[in-house]
Amino acid sequence: MTEAPSSADPVPAPARSELERIRRRWSQLPLPAAQAAAPAVRALVERVAAATEPAATVPDLGPAALVDQLCVVVWDAYAAGAAPGLEEELTGLRRALP
């Protein structure tokens, strides 16, 4: 696995934009809506983490930390070159948020 330099962001601008839009929308959701949407976000977090490291386990830290976890696993996936189709998945997730 090749690691990206700490000063370089491996996430392309369109995917970074989707992450920011997801983060902004997530922060606006009332807790019940976030809890209802959490399984879809969690599923993507787990899928992306597994694409980077199949044995990886992502702890369930609840809805408050979920989008941060998404940002971390997306960064890892792009840094590892394991992100085919990820931008489209992020767009789909954003569109599915209440």
Side-chain angles (χ1 to χ4, degrees):
M1 176 168 103
T2 303
E3 293 188 27
S6 61
S7 62
D9 184 356
V11 181
R16 175 66 56 204
S17 176
E18 285 299 335
L19 282 172
E20 291 306 316
R21 292 172 78 183
I22 290 167
R23 182 186 299 279
R24 194 169 39 251
R25 179 66 187 129
W26 194 256
S27 72
Q28 297 169 348
L29 291 177
L31 183 57
Q35 289 172 324
V41 180
R42 177 100 185 128
L44 182 57
V45 167
E46 290 175 354
R47 231 177 12 259
V48 174
T52 305
E53 179 58 52
T57 58
V58 180
D60 186 348
L61 302 176
L66 197 50
V67 172
D68 291 330
Q69 289 178 303
L70 177 63
C71 291
V72 169
V73 298
V74 166
W75 194 98
D76 289 345
Y78 277 105
L86 186 51
E87 183 182 330
E88 292 80 13
E89 287 190 81
L90 292 170
T91 300
L93 175 64
R94 177 186 48 81
R95 289 179 179 161
L97 291 176

